[in-house]
Amino acid sequence: MKSLSCPNRQCPLARKASSGNIIGHGFYRTNRGRRRRYRCSTCGKTFRSNTGTPYHRLQHRRATFDEVAALSVEGLNKSAIARVKRISWNTVQRWLQRAAGSCRRFNDRKTTGYAITELQADEIRTIIRRKEQPIWIFATIEVWSRLWPATIVGRRSYRNTLTLFRDISSRMNLERVPLITTDGFTFYAKVIRRVFGPACLYGQVIKTRRNDRIVKVERRAVIGADWRLEKILADSEDSSKLNTSFIERLNLTIRQGSAYLSRRTICHPRWKAYLEDHLELLRCHYNFVRPHRALKFGRELRTPAIQAGLVTRRLTFREIFSSTMLLLALRNVTFAFFDSPVSVSVDDSRLSVAA
């Protein structure tokens, strides 16, 4: 009880652990046995230890919930998960929505303050409902730490491209001049020049294909002098020339981890929201839970979040889903209040990096 805090936002001791205001308030019964209930002696609010988490009112073991989320990010579709775990398909759907919402809030709170030395961006094409409705997934990767900082799902448009890079720039540490590499998509140059200013280094890798094979690769600097580009590539630990190899490898990981994106599949998403939810779940697992083979230092195998300095150790789904937050429901709209403030967007003047 010492580690618990009152979930009532109006309480004077809200979010203050070890205040001595939390006392036991009997028990409640579940299919797994009795569970403790608590009460705040200051405001009188009663709650459970899992209030505000995806485990709230869960009628199964928490380990089963975690296993469903883990199977989902390993590429299994909902029908396969329901068969393996012997639970209803609707239960799997509902649990994955809960898990995705928790991971979205966790990503928003934790993925901030990271440094970017080399950033690569690309898009994945998929469909919604039918082939006549294509949709694009904008993905990015910070090469040095292998961090997946942000993603956007929508049309391949200027607005979505701008939203993606604004989100990255508002969360990153602007002390260093980043090197950004993309393909030849039209809007990348306009957006990067607007968001990061003329001080960044931006290059494009344009591949010419013939009969589904790459016959020519053209590399060109779009923003920044050639000597600056050569210098930053010489100092890079990962790239000796302009490339998009790391983001293409991340695209493969995304396709393997999401049943929605598998080729020749019957599991394509029927709704855009389902795809966005699963990508947030997959991004949280990739950054914080799954160790990366390229980040092996002796016997230590790090996750991208450890390498980027966002956390100090590898996390589990149990720790992510149990992260402390306060929920306030008002007219069927749920607002989340975290222990640490959520970063907000800033104007364009802050986003331009001084030369």
PDB file of all heavy atoms in Angstrom, residues 154-175:
ATOM      1  N   GLY A 154      -1.954   6.899 -43.257  1.00  0.00           N
ATOM      2  CA  GLY A 154      -2.875   7.742 -44.015  1.00  0.00           C
ATOM      3  C   GLY A 154      -2.469   7.849 -45.468  1.00  0.00           C
ATOM      4  O   GLY A 154      -1.690   7.034 -45.985  1.00  0.00           O
ATOM      5  N   ARG A 155      -2.970   8.873 -46.120  1.00  0.00           N
ATOM      6  CA  ARG A 155      -2.647   9.105 -47.523  1.00  0.00           C
ATOM      7  C   ARG A 155      -1.195   9.556 -47.663  1.00  0.00           C
ATOM      8  O   ARG A 155      -0.620  10.131 -46.751  1.00  0.00           O
ATOM      9  CB  ARG A 155      -3.579  10.162 -48.114  1.00  0.00           C
ATOM     10  CG  ARG A 155      -5.047   9.732 -48.172  1.00  0.00           C
ATOM     11  CD  ARG A 155      -5.955  10.856 -48.635  1.00  0.00           C
ATOM     12  NE  ARG A 155      -5.538  11.394 -49.926  1.00  0.00           N
ATOM     13  CZ  ARG A 155      -5.135  12.644 -50.111  1.00  0.00           C
ATOM     14  NH1 ARG A 155      -5.091  13.486 -49.092  1.00  0.00           N
ATOM     15  NH2 ARG A 155      -4.781  13.055 -51.308  1.00  0.00           N
ATOM     16  N   ARG A 156      -0.649   9.311 -48.821  1.00  0.00           N
ATOM     17  CA  ARG A 156       0.730   9.723 -49.110  1.00  0.00           C
ATOM     18  C   ARG A 156       0.696  11.186 -49.549  1.00  0.00           C
ATOM     19  O   ARG A 156       0.828  11.518 -50.723  1.00  0.00           O
ATOM     20  CB  ARG A 156       1.303   8.833 -50.214  1.00  0.00           C
ATOM     21  CG  ARG A 156       2.825   8.748 -50.246  1.00  0.00           C
ATOM     22  CD  ARG A 156       3.249   7.716 -51.252  1.00  0.00           C
ATOM     23  NE  ARG A 156       4.685   7.532 -51.293  1.00  0.00           N
ATOM     24  CZ  ARG A 156       5.385   7.412 -52.411  1.00  0.00           C
ATOM     25  NH1 ARG A 156       4.758   7.476 -53.586  1.00  0.00           N
ATOM     26  NH2 ARG A 156       6.682   7.238 -52.380  1.00  0.00           N
ATOM     27  N   SER A 157       0.556  12.067 -48.562  1.00  0.00           N
ATOM     28  CA  SER A 157       0.288  13.466 -48.843  1.00  0.00           C
ATOM     29  C   SER A 157       1.277  14.357 -48.108  1.00  0.00           C
ATOM     30  O   SER A 157       2.029  13.917 -47.229  1.00  0.00           O
ATOM     31  CB  SER A 157      -1.140  13.832 -48.421  1.00  0.00           C
ATOM     32  OG  SER A 157      -1.307  13.656 -47.025  1.00  0.00           O
ATOM     33  N   TYR A 158       1.234  15.633 -48.459  1.00  0.00           N
ATOM     34  CA  TYR A 158       2.093  16.618 -47.804  1.00  0.00           C
ATOM     35  C   TYR A 158       1.722  16.765 -46.332  1.00  0.00           C
ATOM     36  O   TYR A 158       2.605  16.893 -45.479  1.00  0.00           O
ATOM     37  CB  TYR A 158       1.953  17.962 -48.525  1.00  0.00           C
ATOM     38  CG  TYR A 158       2.729  19.099 -47.890  1.00  0.00           C
ATOM     39  CD1 TYR A 158       4.079  19.301 -48.173  1.00  0.00           C
ATOM     40  CD2 TYR A 158       2.098  19.972 -47.009  1.00  0.00           C
ATOM     41  CE1 TYR A 158       4.784  20.336 -47.590  1.00  0.00           C
ATOM     42  CE2 TYR A 158       2.796  21.006 -46.419  1.00  0.00           C
ATOM     43  CZ  TYR A 158       4.138  21.187 -46.717  1.00  0.00           C
ATOM     44  OH  TYR A 158       4.837  22.213 -46.126  1.00  0.00           O
ATOM     45  N   ARG A 159       0.439  16.760 -46.027  1.00  0.00           N
ATOM     46  CA  ARG A 159       0.003  16.961 -44.646  1.00  0.00           C
ATOM     47  C   ARG A 159       0.502  15.840 -43.725  1.00  0.00           C
ATOM     48  O   ARG A 159       0.995  16.106 -42.620  1.00  0.00           O
ATOM     49  CB  ARG A 159      -1.525  17.048 -44.590  1.00  0.00           C
ATOM     50  CG  ARG A 159      -2.088  17.172 -43.180  1.00  0.00           C
ATOM     51  CD  ARG A 159      -3.584  17.338 -43.190  1.00  0.00           C
ATOM     52  NE  ARG A 159      -3.974  18.579 -43.831  1.00  0.00           N
ATOM     53  CZ  ARG A 159      -5.235  18.965 -43.965  1.00  0.00           C
ATOM     54  NH1 ARG A 159      -6.219  18.196 -43.513  1.00  0.00           N
ATOM     55  NH2 ARG A 159      -5.515  20.115 -44.550  1.00  0.00           N
ATOM     56  N   ASN A 160       0.374  14.596 -44.149  1.00  0.00           N
ATOM     57  CA  ASN A 160       0.835  13.490 -43.322  1.00  0.00           C
ATOM     58  C   ASN A 160       2.348  13.482 -43.182  1.00  0.00           C
ATOM     59  O   ASN A 160       2.883  13.154 -42.121  1.00  0.00           O
ATOM     60  CB  ASN A 160       0.350  12.164 -43.906  1.00  0.00           C
ATOM     61  CG  ASN A 160      -1.123  11.939 -43.693  1.00  0.00           C
ATOM     62  OD1 ASN A 160      -1.690  12.418 -42.722  1.00  0.00           O
ATOM     63  ND2 ASN A 160      -1.761  11.219 -44.603  1.00  0.00           N
ATOM     64  N   THR A 161       3.053  13.850 -44.247  1.00  0.00           N
ATOM     65  CA  THR A 161       4.510  13.943 -44.161  1.00  0.00           C
ATOM     66  C   THR A 161       4.921  15.031 -43.177  1.00  0.00           C
ATOM     67  O   THR A 161       5.837  14.838 -42.364  1.00  0.00           O
ATOM     68  CB  THR A 161       5.098  14.241 -45.551  1.00  0.00           C
ATOM     69  OG1 THR A 161       4.591  13.316 -46.505  1.00  0.00           O
ATOM     70  CG2 THR A 161       6.615  14.135 -45.521  1.00  0.00           C
ATOM     71  N   LEU A 162       4.245  16.163 -43.208  1.00  0.00           N
ATOM     72  CA  LEU A 162       4.539  17.246 -42.277  1.00  0.00           C
ATOM     73  C   LEU A 162       4.221  16.842 -40.841  1.00  0.00           C
ATOM     74  O   LEU A 162       4.989  17.145 -39.912  1.00  0.00           O
ATOM     75  CB  LEU A 162       3.745  18.486 -42.675  1.00  0.00           C
ATOM     76  CG  LEU A 162       3.937  19.743 -41.811  1.00  0.00           C
ATOM     77  CD1 LEU A 162       5.375  20.223 -41.866  1.00  0.00           C
ATOM     78  CD2 LEU A 162       2.981  20.846 -42.266  1.00  0.00           C
ATOM     79  N   THR A 163       3.111  16.153 -40.635  1.00  0.00           N
ATOM     80  CA  THR A 163       2.749  15.697 -39.293  1.00  0.00           C
ATOM     81  C   THR A 163       3.798  14.755 -38.725  1.00  0.00           C
ATOM     82  O   THR A 163       4.154  14.825 -37.537  1.00  0.00           O
ATOM     83  CB  THR A 163       1.386  14.995 -39.334  1.00  0.00           C
ATOM     84  OG1 THR A 163       0.394  15.887 -39.853  1.00  0.00           O
ATOM     85  CG2 THR A 163       0.965  14.540 -37.954  1.00  0.00           C
ATOM     86  N   LEU A 164       4.315  13.867 -39.553  1.00  0.00           N
ATOM     87  CA  LEU A 164       5.327  12.916 -39.114  1.00  0.00           C
ATOM     88  C   LEU A 164       6.587  13.619 -38.622  1.00  0.00           C
ATOM     89  O   LEU A 164       7.066  13.382 -37.510  1.00  0.00           O
ATOM     90  CB  LEU A 164       5.664  11.965 -40.266  1.00  0.00           C
ATOM     91  CG  LEU A 164       6.798  10.976 -40.008  1.00  0.00           C
ATOM     92  CD1 LEU A 164       6.355   9.915 -39.023  1.00  0.00           C
ATOM     93  CD2 LEU A 164       7.249  10.330 -41.316  1.00  0.00           C
ATOM     94  N   PHE A 165       7.138  14.520 -39.423  1.00  0.00           N
ATOM     95  CA  PHE A 165       8.402  15.157 -39.057  1.00  0.00           C
ATOM     96  C   PHE A 165       8.214  16.208 -37.965  1.00  0.00           C
ATOM     97  O   PHE A 165       9.143  16.463 -37.187  1.00  0.00           O
ATOM     98  CB  PHE A 165       9.054  15.767 -40.290  1.00  0.00           C
ATOM     99  CG  PHE A 165       9.741  14.754 -41.157  1.00  0.00           C
ATOM    100  CD1 PHE A 165       9.104  14.186 -42.255  1.00  0.00           C
ATOM    101  CD2 PHE A 165      11.031  14.341 -40.863  1.00  0.00           C
ATOM    102  CE1 PHE A 165       9.723  13.244 -43.034  1.00  0.00           C
ATOM    103  CE2 PHE A 165      11.670  13.396 -41.643  1.00  0.00           C
ATOM    104  CZ  PHE A 165      11.013  12.846 -42.737  1.00  0.00           C
ATOM    105  N   ARG A 166       7.057  16.811 -37.866  1.00  0.00           N
ATOM    106  CA  ARG A 166       6.804  17.726 -36.754  1.00  0.00           C
ATOM    107  C   ARG A 166       6.758  16.967 -35.430  1.00  0.00           C
ATOM    108  O   ARG A 166       7.245  17.454 -34.411  1.00  0.00           O
ATOM    109  CB  ARG A 166       5.494  18.475 -36.988  1.00  0.00           C
ATOM    110  CG  ARG A 166       5.659  19.741 -37.812  1.00  0.00           C
ATOM    111  CD  ARG A 166       4.348  20.494 -37.905  1.00  0.00           C
ATOM    112  NE  ARG A 166       4.533  21.826 -38.456  1.00  0.00           N
ATOM    113  CZ  ARG A 166       3.544  22.647 -38.764  1.00  0.00           C
ATOM    114  NH1 ARG A 166       2.286  22.258 -38.572  1.00  0.00           N
ATOM    115  NH2 ARG A 166       3.795  23.840 -39.262  1.00  0.00           N
ATOM    116  N   ASP A 167       6.162  15.795 -35.443  1.00  0.00           N
ATOM    117  CA  ASP A 167       6.112  14.988 -34.232  1.00  0.00           C
ATOM    118  C   ASP A 167       7.515  14.579 -33.797  1.00  0.00           C
ATOM    119  O   ASP A 167       7.844  14.624 -32.603  1.00  0.00           O
ATOM    120  CB  ASP A 167       5.252  13.753 -34.469  1.00  0.00           C
ATOM    121  CG  ASP A 167       5.147  12.870 -33.246  1.00  0.00           C
ATOM    122  OD1 ASP A 167       4.570  13.315 -32.237  1.00  0.00           O
ATOM    123  OD2 ASP A 167       5.648  11.734 -33.290  1.00  0.00           O
ATOM    124  N   ILE A 168       8.351  14.201 -34.758  1.00  0.00           N
ATOM    125  CA  ILE A 168       9.721  13.812 -34.426  1.00  0.00           C
ATOM    126  C   ILE A 168      10.512  14.996 -33.886  1.00  0.00           C
ATOM    127  O   ILE A 168      11.192  14.908 -32.865  1.00  0.00           O
ATOM    128  CB  ILE A 168      10.413  13.213 -35.665  1.00  0.00           C
ATOM    129  CG1 ILE A 168       9.758  11.889 -36.050  1.00  0.00           C
ATOM    130  CG2 ILE A 168      11.901  13.016 -35.412  1.00  0.00           C
ATOM    131  CD1 ILE A 168      10.303  11.299 -37.327  1.00  0.00           C
ATOM    132  N   SER A 169      10.420  16.139 -34.549  1.00  0.00           N
ATOM    133  CA  SER A 169      11.212  17.305 -34.153  1.00  0.00           C
ATOM    134  C   SER A 169      10.766  17.859 -32.801  1.00  0.00           C
ATOM    135  O   SER A 169      11.577  18.424 -32.066  1.00  0.00           O
ATOM    136  CB  SER A 169      11.110  18.396 -35.223  1.00  0.00           C
ATOM    137  OG  SER A 169       9.761  18.801 -35.387  1.00  0.00           O
ATOM    138  N   SER A 170       9.482  17.725 -32.448  1.00  0.00           N
ATOM    139  CA  SER A 170       9.015  18.225 -31.157  1.00  0.00           C
ATOM    140  C   SER A 170       9.461  17.342 -30.002  1.00  0.00           C
ATOM    141  O   SER A 170       9.463  17.780 -28.857  1.00  0.00           O
ATOM    142  CB  SER A 170       7.492  18.332 -31.166  1.00  0.00           C
ATOM    143  OG  SER A 170       6.894  17.051 -31.288  1.00  0.00           O
ATOM    144  N   ARG A 171       9.857  16.108 -30.282  1.00  0.00           N
ATOM    145  CA  ARG A 171      10.267  15.184 -29.233  1.00  0.00           C
ATOM    146  C   ARG A 171      11.768  14.964 -29.158  1.00  0.00           C
ATOM    147  O   ARG A 171      12.268  14.493 -28.142  1.00  0.00           O
ATOM    148  CB  ARG A 171       9.580  13.825 -29.444  1.00  0.00           C
ATOM    149  CG  ARG A 171       8.072  13.882 -29.351  1.00  0.00           C
ATOM    150  CD  ARG A 171       7.465  12.519 -29.672  1.00  0.00           C
ATOM    151  NE  ARG A 171       6.021  12.564 -29.568  1.00  0.00           N
ATOM    152  CZ  ARG A 171       5.348  12.396 -28.435  1.00  0.00           C
ATOM    153  NH1 ARG A 171       6.031  12.175 -27.307  1.00  0.00           N
ATOM    154  NH2 ARG A 171       4.042  12.450 -28.402  1.00  0.00           N
ATOM    155  N   MET A 172      12.501  15.289 -30.205  1.00  0.00           N
ATOM    156  CA  MET A 172      13.923  14.998 -30.251  1.00  0.00           C
ATOM    157  C   MET A 172      14.742  16.074 -29.561  1.00  0.00           C
ATOM    158  O   MET A 172      14.275  17.186 -29.290  1.00  0.00           O
ATOM    159  CB  MET A 172      14.391  14.856 -31.701  1.00  0.00           C
ATOM    160  CG  MET A 172      14.261  16.146 -32.513  1.00  0.00           C
ATOM    161  SD  MET A 172      14.875  16.012 -34.210  1.00  0.00           S
ATOM    162  CE  MET A 172      16.643  16.102 -33.926  1.00  0.00           C
ATOM    163  N   ASN A 173      15.976  15.730 -29.262  1.00  0.00           N
ATOM    164  CA  ASN A 173      16.944  16.668 -28.724  1.00  0.00           C
ATOM    165  C   ASN A 173      17.609  17.387 -29.895  1.00  0.00           C
ATOM    166  O   ASN A 173      18.244  16.765 -30.739  1.00  0.00           O
ATOM    167  CB  ASN A 173      17.981  15.905 -27.893  1.00  0.00           C
ATOM    168  CG  ASN A 173      18.947  16.828 -27.177  1.00  0.00           C
ATOM    169  OD1 ASN A 173      19.006  18.018 -27.455  1.00  0.00           O
ATOM    170  ND2 ASN A 173      19.702  16.279 -26.241  1.00  0.00           N
ATOM    171  N   LEU A 174      17.479  18.720 -29.947  1.00  0.00           N
ATOM    172  CA  LEU A 174      17.928  19.489 -31.109  1.00  0.00           C
ATOM    173  C   LEU A 174      19.361  20.005 -30.977  1.00  0.00           C
ATOM    174  O   LEU A 174      19.730  20.963 -31.638  1.00  0.00           O
ATOM    175  CB  LEU A 174      16.981  20.670 -31.334  1.00  0.00           C
ATOM    176  CG  LEU A 174      15.538  20.306 -31.722  1.00  0.00           C
ATOM    177  CD1 LEU A 174      14.691  21.554 -31.820  1.00  0.00           C
ATOM    178  CD2 LEU A 174      15.494  19.523 -33.016  1.00  0.00           C
ATOM    179  N   GLU A 175      20.155  19.373 -30.139  1.00  0.00           N
ATOM    180  CA  GLU A 175      21.525  19.847 -29.949  1.00  0.00           C
ATOM    181  C   GLU A 175      22.434  19.483 -31.115  1.00  0.00           C
ATOM    182  O   GLU A 175      23.460  20.123 -31.318  1.00  0.00           O
ATOM    183  CB  GLU A 175      22.090  19.279 -28.642  1.00  0.00           C
ATOM    184  CG  GLU A 175      21.387  19.793 -27.390  1.00  0.00           C
ATOM    185  CD  GLU A 175      21.971  19.209 -26.127  1.00  0.00           C
ATOM    186  OE1 GLU A 175      22.885  18.343 -26.257  1.00  0.00           O
ATOM    187  OE2 GLU A 175      21.546  19.593 -25.035  1.00  0.00           O
TER     188      GLU A 175
END
